[in-house]
Amino acid sequence: MRTASWALAGGVPALAVGLALTVSALGRHLVAVTVRGASMEPAYREGDRVLVRRGRLPVPGQVVVVTDLPDAGPATAPVPAAAARPVPSPALVIKRVAAVPGDPVPRDRVPALAGVPERYVPPGKLVLLGDNPEASFDSRHRGYFATACVVGTVWRSLPA
């Protein structure tokens, strides 16, 4: 009986430390983000919260959160006045991956890439599109986004 009580007494602190380390590790790999704007409607709407998983490069069809850094393209978006509003810099934006490095350049869907000389998306670049083209400033307007700007992929929606 004594062995069981010592194991239990020693196991509880070990479990608490293990749980704290797990939560800490999850905090580095998961980030909660609140959606701003209408660029991803109807999939995600203003105020929706999503859990973003860091550390994985996206694949076509996945939704990603990226930092819209000034060196990644224009800092202001030519979207309709109703959808445009100031955002902190660097802003986080949410978009769907249309093409990754090595994929054919989607010239037919992305006017900004119609004249690029390469046949395939170059290393370090992504083609990102919003689900709502009328309210989205994305690769259709600015061309490629840098893979270095990817914060992570959307893993799941969070309850409101």
Side-chain angles (χ1 to χ4, degrees), residues 98-106 113 118-127 144-145 147:
V100 296
D103 286 350
V105 174
L113 297 176
E118 60 269 10
R119 293 182 59 202
Y120 300 100
V121 175
K125 304 294 181 186
L126 295 170
V127 178
Y144 297 116
F145 282 76
T147 56

Side-chain angles (χ1 to χ4, degrees), residues 20-112:
L21 290 174
T22 301
V23 170
S24 174
L26 284 176
R28 286 188 304 234
H29 296 290
L30 298 174
V31 178
V33 175
T34 301
V35 175
R36 298 286 177 232
S39 73
M40 285 301 293
E41 287 181 355
Y44 299 102
R45 299 184 183 282
E46 173 84 25
D48 285 352
R49 291 178 40 85
V50 294
L51 198 56
V52 175
R53 186 182 304 179
R54 293 179 170 193
R56 296 181 183 208
L57 285 179
V59 297
Q62 283 186 314
V63 176
V64 295
V65 172
V66 297
T67 56
D68 190 19
L69 298 172
D71 65 342
T76 57
V79 295
R85 66 167 182 226
V87 292
S89 183
L92 293 179
V93 295
I94 182 169
K95 303 291 178 207
R96 190 171 305 278
V97 178
V100 296
D103 286 350
V105 174
R107 298 172 200 284
D108 56 331
R109 294 177 20 200
V110 184

